[in-house]
Amino acid sequence: MSAPFPSDLEIAQAATLHPIVEVAEKSGIDEDRLEPYGKYVAKVVLDETTTAENARKRGAKYVVVTAVTPTPLGEGKTATSVSLAQGMAATGRNAMLTLRQPSMGPTFGIKGGAAGGGYSQIIPMEKLNLHLTGDFHAVTAAHNLLAAMIDNHLHQGNELNIDPRAITWRRVLDVNDRSLRNIVIGLGERMDGVVRESGFDITSASEIMVILSLSTSFENLRERLAKIVIGFNYDGQPVTAADLKADGALSVILQDAINPNLLQTLETTPALIHAGPFGNIATGNSSVVADYVGLEHSGYVITEAGFGADMGAERFFNVKCRVSGLKPDAAVLVVTVRSLKSHSGLYKIVPGKPLPEDMLKESPEDVRAGASNLQKHIDIVRSFGVQPVVAINAFPTDFNSEHEEIRRIAEEAGARVAVHRGVAQGGKGTMELADAVAEACDDVSELNFTYELTDSLETKLEKVATDVYGADGIEVTPAARKQLKLYEELGYGELPVVIAKTHLSISSDASLKGAPTGWTLPVREVRLAAGAGYVYAICGTMRTMPGLSKSPAAERIGFDEDGRMVGLF
Amino acid sequence: MSAPFPSDLEIAQAATLHPIVEVAEKSGIDEDRLEPYGKYVAKVVLDETTTAENARKRGAKYVVVTAVTPTPLGEGKTATSVSLAQGMAATGRNAMLTLRQPSMGPTFGIKGGAAGGGYSQIIPMEKLNLHLTGDFHAVTAAHNLLAAMIDNHLHQGNELNIDPRAITWRRVLDVNDRSLRNIVIGLGERMDGVVRESGFDITSASEIMVILSLSTSFENLRERLAKIVIGFNYDGQPVTAADLKADGALSVILQDAINPNLLQTLETTPALIHAGPFGNIATGNSSVVADYVGLEHSGYVITEAGFGADMGAERFFNVKCRVSGLKPDAAVLVVTVRSLKSHSGLYKIVPGKPLPEDMLKESPEDVRAGASNLQKHIDIVRSFGVQPVVAINAFPTDFNSEHEEIRRIAEEAGARVAVHRGVAQGGKGTMELADAVAEACDDVSELNFTYELTDSLETKLEKVATDVYGADGIEVTPAARKQLKLYEELGYGELPVVIAKTHLSISSDASLKGAPTGWTLPVREVRLAAGAGYVYAICGTMRTMPGLSKSPAAERIGFDEDGRMVGLF
């Protein structure tokens, strides 16, 4: 056990922030391209140099950070990404981070932001976890303007013949508010609109958030906005944002949001924070344009994909890389002692409760008992043609024998492996990992997609289920099959797919640990995200609007008597 | 008639923007106090020098711009404010503007932002009319977090015993969306919250927006947030944001929003744009702290009060000045030829339609026929102990004889008067007005409130109705009287009052032009804004959530082929 350790908040508040102009300058980002938002945050304005070609031309290395199947507590993927970038700098390499922006709503729900941890954090953390430069607010505003234009269209005579029961476009707010999940709108008098059922999702679940993350330029953003399908008319034909003449106004609202936000780590490593699409029904990856900017201005770009390699990384490869035209040079697989112990099936971790005491005892055997999950994720990464590097995120409660066991499991699977102590030590605790990743980047990598875009939608879903997840196959409900047919008839058949399932198992059953086999993925419903450019399958209960707990963090967030912000971490 | 004149948008887009740091420097605002948001907008961070005492100490002049009862088209109050500030500069005086931030929602509804007009505009106008620095978004987020905490409280067992039918706190969005006016929330399953009726208002109607505008410091903001009454418990006692432990989190969300936003006019006059409370149920005035900052750093601070002198200016004097501890040195009364012609009762102006042709004919007689409205507003201003300066906002369709008639009406009433051509000519067209206002500022002024805070709430309402509006009295429904009693019993009796009535007449009947007499103000309902610090009476139908028209501006807003923003004006 380690000595008393300062809290994330104390470390972040004690940090020295460098003017963002200096951080940018170090990376060769011209001051003319910066739009400052305060002294420590700036937008990097996209220009005609921000292209896939330019991003590839310099030969900068592109590293995606993913993980084994996490426990409900998370395994420190962001902290590992941050510390890896710091470790790259500590080993004399030039690195930049590209990460998702955290959603503000959950900050007031459960304790904990998404700034990394310990000595591997993004600062200023209170900006990061609150409004930042307003991109989420812009997504909220654009999303809800489109919703207002839909209901206004119904109210004004419904010229487009929209079937109110076939409207799939809901509303969004960046707040945890369960009571807005299912609502009835348009009540009151005749002049108060048309009565119908609707609801709110959290802003990170907005299709516009995914559009922001997948757009390759502002022009591309505009094209995607126009293609959004908000529902269907009485003839079963899709109705788009362009049909409602809404796309121009939405693009005006999003004009600044398309530019990535530059922040810094505790060790002044530049970090582009941009877009925050939900990890489940959406892609769970940060923006394409931030990666372009990073690769233009750095030797190593470290990006993070949400949840485990079956989730965020699968979409990173099959959806994001397909759109961006970029090819990763290595994939980091974050693993912890506690995650493999949990995959032994011997323990149950409950969020908000301390770990079971027995889990904290020295037990390389328990680690070995959960090995199959790590092995499977190594295989998943390798199936995409990319070399995995296993990163053991060290906790103070770990034992060396347990780290050694993970090392053996990884090496048996032929993967590079390194322990990192980024949370406790920052970049100097991550130098071994940085070297391993740099080495992996020098290997030849290719990029193999799991499916061809010309495969049928059902085949795509099936290939992800079998070739990535290791399922025996998929079971599609008749209703879902009919929808897939319809999407193909309407010309959406060549879109990639996203599978919305639990992130707590490689299977669709959260209780199955390790590397489940002998199971079938149930596809009960499929939906279209035509602007974002994918079809997604709902395989389980998906909550797109969180709630607050009995004692939400909001009750403890505020200022102390000295005017210092408290409770945010 | 004038020669073809460039559009507001063309003028704004052709303007030369000066770096905001330079604009601030010219006013002696230290660069250390600036938080830049892009190159042309900055927040001025409040510090311990931002106080009423400091604001008064330098003897800077404080000028409020109000108007006669406007037509539905508006009479160019913002344009007059902007051009007056530019005129001050053109006559060698040092001036600063303090104005409300326009609401984004209506920008996509009906054509027209709130940036002034012609050569008297605030720039960058697309920032001003869209997100600016995110203050409205912060108000939206804070307001809706409080709403979520209320419904979460009901869901988690309702320890505070809140009566769901007595919750007055709704939700807000900065979008014109009539279908959200009346909704039912909490539908679905048990875990989806408690079913009840609710609704959304536009963000500018949020009590938090008024709090932002009336707070004298960040500490004061926090105190006001804590005092917000969200409804009542089953015992009829008020439930506050502090009872829900929400005030700390709300203040964290609003931490940056309390700092005023510095922009510039087309002639590089500094303009502090801050807060945008609704003109009707709220105060309709920009922030107290922006006025403090302005008076610290300028010779003349020009601020604008919403609607006519009976509305925004009455609240400016009785509510805002009482809170701020500031005393205006002069009041500008904007008048137009068309407004007085409309007060003749001979014409009907319909928004979105051209003016009746006969109104554009030369007719000093029609102007004289509407004189009573101007005379009454002069009296209103004078009732507060402040010298009025009548500003004739010249239109290209005006005739000199008509201006002369207004001049005579004003002079007969003993008021200073000047024609200004700020829209067509900018500051150099407003030099006569600037001189007249400067002269008025050198007169002795006092500040007489219409009522004492120790008057009963009903007496306060009655005094505003009779002494300001010229009503015979008020007629309070039994329900409203009961509520007034309750508020007094609960300790809110010493708050000032706001009367929510039509702005299209000095009376509560929009169809009555001129200076109506022989009428009674009907008070059908009263409500409490305990955080903002006033009780307001509903005297008419108040819409706090606008709708979109059949052909909303949003359909025409976007980018042209050259990537230039179009449709915003």
Side-chain angles (χ1 to χ4, degrees), chain B residues 263-289:
Chain B
L263 284 79
Q264 60 192 287
T265 74
L266 287 171
E267 299 179 6
T268 333
T269 312
L272 290 168
I273 311 293
H274 199 213
F278 218 62
N280 219 316
I281 59 158
T283 48
N285 279 275
S286 58
S287 82
V288 166
V289 290

mmCIF file of all heavy atoms in Angstrom, chain B residues 263-289:
data_model
loop_
_atom_site.group_PDB
_atom_site.id
_atom_site.type_symbol
_atom_site.label_atom_id
_atom_site.label_comp_id
_atom_site.label_asym_id
_atom_site.label_seq_id
_atom_site.Cartn_x
_atom_site.Cartn_y
_atom_site.Cartn_z
ATOM 1 N N LEU B 263 -17.439 43.680 -26.370
ATOM 2 C CA LEU B 263 -17.427 43.691 -27.829
ATOM 3 C C LEU B 263 -17.196 45.127 -28.261
ATOM 4 O O LEU B 263 -16.809 45.965 -27.442
ATOM 5 C CB LEU B 263 -18.752 43.148 -28.399
ATOM 6 C CG LEU B 263 -18.954 41.628 -28.345
ATOM 7 C CD1 LEU B 263 -19.374 41.174 -26.954
ATOM 8 C CD2 LEU B 263 -20.009 41.173 -29.353
ATOM 9 N N GLN B 264 -17.420 45.431 -29.516
ATOM 10 C CA GLN B 264 -17.191 46.791 -29.985
ATOM 11 C C GLN B 264 -18.284 47.201 -30.973
ATOM 12 O O GLN B 264 -18.961 46.359 -31.541
ATOM 13 C CB GLN B 264 -15.821 46.903 -30.664
ATOM 14 C CG GLN B 264 -15.651 45.996 -31.882
ATOM 15 C CD GLN B 264 -14.205 45.899 -32.355
ATOM 16 O OE1 GLN B 264 -13.662 46.830 -32.928
ATOM 17 N NE2 GLN B 264 -13.585 44.750 -32.089
ATOM 18 N N THR B 265 -18.437 48.507 -31.139
ATOM 19 C CA THR B 265 -19.353 48.979 -32.176
ATOM 20 C C THR B 265 -18.577 49.102 -33.486
ATOM 21 O O THR B 265 -17.363 48.899 -33.529
ATOM 22 C CB THR B 265 -19.946 50.356 -31.832
ATOM 23 O OG1 THR B 265 -18.920 51.350 -32.021
ATOM 24 C CG2 THR B 265 -20.435 50.417 -30.395
ATOM 25 N N LEU B 266 -19.299 49.415 -34.553
ATOM 26 C CA LEU B 266 -18.663 49.599 -35.861
ATOM 27 C C LEU B 266 -17.597 50.682 -35.817
ATOM 28 O O LEU B 266 -16.700 50.709 -36.646
ATOM 29 C CB LEU B 266 -19.717 49.975 -36.913
ATOM 30 C CG LEU B 266 -20.650 48.845 -37.350
ATOM 31 C CD1 LEU B 266 -21.774 49.417 -38.213
ATOM 32 C CD2 LEU B 266 -19.885 47.776 -38.112
ATOM 33 N N GLU B 267 -17.690 51.586 -34.824
ATOM 34 C CA GLU B 267 -16.699 52.656 -34.698
ATOM 35 C C GLU B 267 -15.774 52.413 -33.503
ATOM 36 O O GLU B 267 -15.192 53.348 -32.948
ATOM 37 C CB GLU B 267 -17.418 54.014 -34.597
ATOM 38 C CG GLU B 267 -18.248 54.290 -35.846
ATOM 39 C CD GLU B 267 -19.004 55.618 -35.818
ATOM 40 O OE1 GLU B 267 -18.806 56.411 -34.864
ATOM 41 O OE2 GLU B 267 -19.796 55.858 -36.752
ATOM 42 N N THR B 268 -15.660 51.149 -33.120
ATOM 43 C CA THR B 268 -14.709 50.712 -32.090
ATOM 44 C C THR B 268 -15.016 51.259 -30.692
ATOM 45 O O THR B 268 -14.144 51.306 -29.835
ATOM 46 C CB THR B 268 -13.250 51.062 -32.466
ATOM 47 O OG1 THR B 268 -13.133 51.113 -33.874
ATOM 48 C CG2 THR B 268 -12.281 49.998 -31.977
ATOM 49 N N THR B 269 -16.246 51.664 -30.461
ATOM 50 C CA THR B 269 -16.654 52.031 -29.103
ATOM 51 C C THR B 269 -16.844 50.742 -28.304
ATOM 52 O O THR B 269 -17.483 49.819 -28.787
ATOM 53 C CB THR B 269 -17.988 52.817 -29.145
ATOM 54 O OG1 THR B 269 -17.886 53.841 -30.134
ATOM 55 C CG2 THR B 269 -18.310 53.423 -27.788
ATOM 56 N N PRO B 270 -16.287 50.671 -27.087
ATOM 57 C CA PRO B 270 -16.447 49.430 -26.318
ATOM 58 C C PRO B 270 -17.896 49.205 -25.890
ATOM 59 O O PRO B 270 -18.595 50.160 -25.530
ATOM 60 C CB PRO B 270 -15.539 49.643 -25.097
ATOM 61 C CG PRO B 270 -15.255 51.099 -25.045
ATOM 62 C CD PRO B 270 -15.415 51.648 -26.422
ATOM 63 N N ALA B 271 -18.326 47.961 -25.945
ATOM 64 C CA ALA B 271 -19.699 47.608 -25.585
ATOM 65 C C ALA B 271 -19.680 46.380 -24.699
ATOM 66 O O ALA B 271 -19.160 45.336 -25.091
ATOM 67 C CB ALA B 271 -20.519 47.333 -26.846
ATOM 68 N N LEU B 272 -20.212 46.522 -23.491
ATOM 69 C CA LEU B 272 -20.342 45.378 -22.586
ATOM 70 C C LEU B 272 -21.727 44.773 -22.781
ATOM 71 O O LEU B 272 -22.737 45.440 -22.544
ATOM 72 C CB LEU B 272 -20.153 45.820 -21.131
ATOM 73 C CG LEU B 272 -18.725 46.233 -20.758
ATOM 74 C CD1 LEU B 272 -18.718 46.932 -19.401
ATOM 75 C CD2 LEU B 272 -17.785 45.032 -20.740
ATOM 76 N N ILE B 273 -21.739 43.537 -23.238
ATOM 77 C CA ILE B 273 -23.000 42.846 -23.538
ATOM 78 C C ILE B 273 -23.167 41.777 -22.478
ATOM 79 O O ILE B 273 -22.343 40.860 -22.378
ATOM 80 C CB ILE B 273 -22.928 42.187 -24.935
ATOM 81 C CG1 ILE B 273 -22.430 43.166 -25.989
ATOM 82 C CG2 ILE B 273 -24.255 41.554 -25.294
ATOM 83 C CD1 ILE B 273 -23.365 44.301 -26.289
ATOM 84 N N HIS B 274 -24.231 41.897 -21.691
ATOM 85 C CA HIS B 274 -24.299 40.980 -20.553
ATOM 86 C C HIS B 274 -25.701 40.766 -20.026
ATOM 87 O O HIS B 274 -26.349 41.695 -19.594
ATOM 88 C CB HIS B 274 -23.414 41.504 -19.409
ATOM 89 C CG HIS B 274 -23.061 40.458 -18.408
ATOM 90 N ND1 HIS B 274 -22.890 40.717 -17.085
ATOM 91 C CD2 HIS B 274 -22.863 39.126 -18.553
ATOM 92 C CE1 HIS B 274 -22.578 39.598 -16.449
ATOM 93 N NE2 HIS B 274 -22.558 38.611 -17.314
ATOM 94 N N ALA B 275 -26.129 39.512 -20.040
ATOM 95 C CA ALA B 275 -27.428 39.054 -19.533
ATOM 96 C C ALA B 275 -28.544 39.532 -20.442
ATOM 97 O O ALA B 275 -28.445 40.602 -21.045
ATOM 98 C CB ALA B 275 -27.681 39.515 -18.089
ATOM 99 N N GLY B 276 -29.594 38.752 -20.532
ATOM 100 C CA GLY B 276 -30.699 39.119 -21.417
ATOM 101 C C GLY B 276 -32.027 38.690 -20.852
ATOM 102 O O GLY B 276 -32.715 37.857 -21.419
ATOM 103 N N PRO B 277 -32.412 39.275 -19.691
ATOM 104 C CA PRO B 277 -33.697 38.874 -19.124
ATOM 105 C C PRO B 277 -34.860 39.396 -19.966
ATOM 106 O O PRO B 277 -34.818 40.510 -20.459
ATOM 107 C CB PRO B 277 -33.691 39.505 -17.730
ATOM 108 C CG PRO B 277 -32.725 40.625 -17.810
ATOM 109 C CD PRO B 277 -31.734 40.288 -18.873
ATOM 110 N N PHE B 278 -35.814 38.559 -20.119
ATOM 111 C CA PHE B 278 -37.066 38.835 -20.815
ATOM 112 C C PHE B 278 -37.638 40.185 -20.399
ATOM 113 O O PHE B 278 -37.611 40.543 -19.227
ATOM 114 C CB PHE B 278 -38.036 37.744 -20.391
ATOM 115 C CG PHE B 278 -38.940 37.264 -21.458
ATOM 116 C CD1 PHE B 278 -38.419 36.665 -22.588
ATOM 117 C CD2 PHE B 278 -40.314 37.386 -21.339
ATOM 118 C CE1 PHE B 278 -39.264 36.182 -23.577
ATOM 119 C CE2 PHE B 278 -41.159 36.916 -22.326
ATOM 120 C CZ PHE B 278 -40.638 36.316 -23.449
ATOM 121 N N GLY B 279 -38.188 40.906 -21.334
ATOM 122 C CA GLY B 279 -38.693 42.233 -21.050
ATOM 123 C C GLY B 279 -40.019 42.264 -20.342
ATOM 124 O O GLY B 279 -40.472 43.323 -19.909
ATOM 125 N N ASN B 280 -40.657 41.096 -20.222
ATOM 126 C CA ASN B 280 -42.021 41.156 -19.737
ATOM 127 C C ASN B 280 -42.173 40.683 -18.290
ATOM 128 O O ASN B 280 -42.395 41.495 -17.397
ATOM 129 C CB ASN B 280 -42.929 40.364 -20.672
ATOM 130 C CG ASN B 280 -44.234 41.094 -20.833
ATOM 131 O OD1 ASN B 280 -44.777 41.562 -19.845
ATOM 132 N ND2 ASN B 280 -44.712 41.231 -22.044
ATOM 133 N N ILE B 281 -42.015 39.399 -18.056
ATOM 134 C CA ILE B 281 -42.115 38.907 -16.676
ATOM 135 C C ILE B 281 -40.850 39.218 -15.895
ATOM 136 O O ILE B 281 -40.803 39.062 -14.685
ATOM 137 C CB ILE B 281 -42.353 37.381 -16.631
ATOM 138 C CG1 ILE B 281 -41.208 36.652 -17.334
ATOM 139 C CG2 ILE B 281 -43.675 37.016 -17.268
ATOM 140 C CD1 ILE B 281 -41.073 35.225 -16.907
ATOM 141 N N ALA B 282 -39.794 39.623 -16.604
ATOM 142 C CA ALA B 282 -38.525 39.902 -15.928
ATOM 143 C C ALA B 282 -38.215 41.397 -16.030
ATOM 144 O O ALA B 282 -39.091 42.194 -16.317
ATOM 145 C CB ALA B 282 -37.423 39.049 -16.525
ATOM 146 N N THR B 283 -36.956 41.747 -15.798
ATOM 147 C CA THR B 283 -36.648 43.170 -15.692
ATOM 148 C C THR B 283 -36.310 43.826 -17.024
ATOM 149 O O THR B 283 -36.418 45.041 -17.156
ATOM 150 C CB THR B 283 -35.452 43.364 -14.743
ATOM 151 O OG1 THR B 283 -34.435 42.435 -15.139
ATOM 152 C CG2 THR B 283 -35.849 43.108 -13.310
ATOM 153 N N GLY B 284 -35.856 43.032 -17.999
ATOM 154 C CA GLY B 284 -35.561 43.609 -19.314
ATOM 155 C C GLY B 284 -34.390 44.560 -19.331
ATOM 156 O O GLY B 284 -34.314 45.435 -20.196
ATOM 157 N N ASN B 285 -33.480 44.398 -18.390
ATOM 158 C CA ASN B 285 -32.306 45.271 -18.342
ATOM 159 C C ASN B 285 -31.020 44.450 -18.319
ATOM 160 O O ASN B 285 -30.998 43.333 -17.796
ATOM 161 C CB ASN B 285 -32.353 46.153 -17.093
ATOM 162 C CG ASN B 285 -33.262 47.361 -17.272
ATOM 163 O OD1 ASN B 285 -32.843 48.392 -17.795
ATOM 164 N ND2 ASN B 285 -34.518 47.236 -16.866
ATOM 165 N N SER B 286 -29.950 45.028 -18.855
ATOM 166 C CA SER B 286 -28.653 44.346 -18.837
ATOM 167 C C SER B 286 -28.107 44.352 -17.408
ATOM 168 O O SER B 286 -28.728 44.864 -16.488
ATOM 169 C CB SER B 286 -27.689 45.012 -19.815
ATOM 170 O OG SER B 286 -27.533 46.372 -19.479
ATOM 171 N N SER B 287 -26.905 43.803 -17.238
ATOM 172 C CA SER B 287 -26.466 43.474 -15.883
ATOM 173 C C SER B 287 -25.957 44.671 -15.081
ATOM 174 O O SER B 287 -25.426 45.635 -15.622
ATOM 175 C CB SER B 287 -25.376 42.408 -15.941
ATOM 176 O OG SER B 287 -24.128 42.989 -16.214
ATOM 177 N N VAL B 288 -26.118 44.557 -13.800
ATOM 178 C CA VAL B 288 -25.583 45.533 -12.851
ATOM 179 C C VAL B 288 -24.055 45.558 -12.920
ATOM 180 O O VAL B 288 -23.439 46.631 -12.969
ATOM 181 C CB VAL B 288 -26.056 45.179 -11.419
ATOM 182 C CG1 VAL B 288 -25.263 45.960 -10.372
ATOM 183 C CG2 VAL B 288 -27.550 45.450 -11.276
ATOM 184 N N VAL B 289 -23.446 44.383 -12.963
ATOM 185 C CA VAL B 289 -21.976 44.356 -12.911
ATOM 186 C C VAL B 289 -21.356 44.972 -14.162
ATOM 187 O O VAL B 289 -20.288 45.585 -14.085
ATOM 188 C CB VAL B 289 -21.418 42.935 -12.645
ATOM 189 C CG1 VAL B 289 -21.717 42.505 -11.215
ATOM 190 C CG2 VAL B 289 -21.923 41.918 -13.656
#
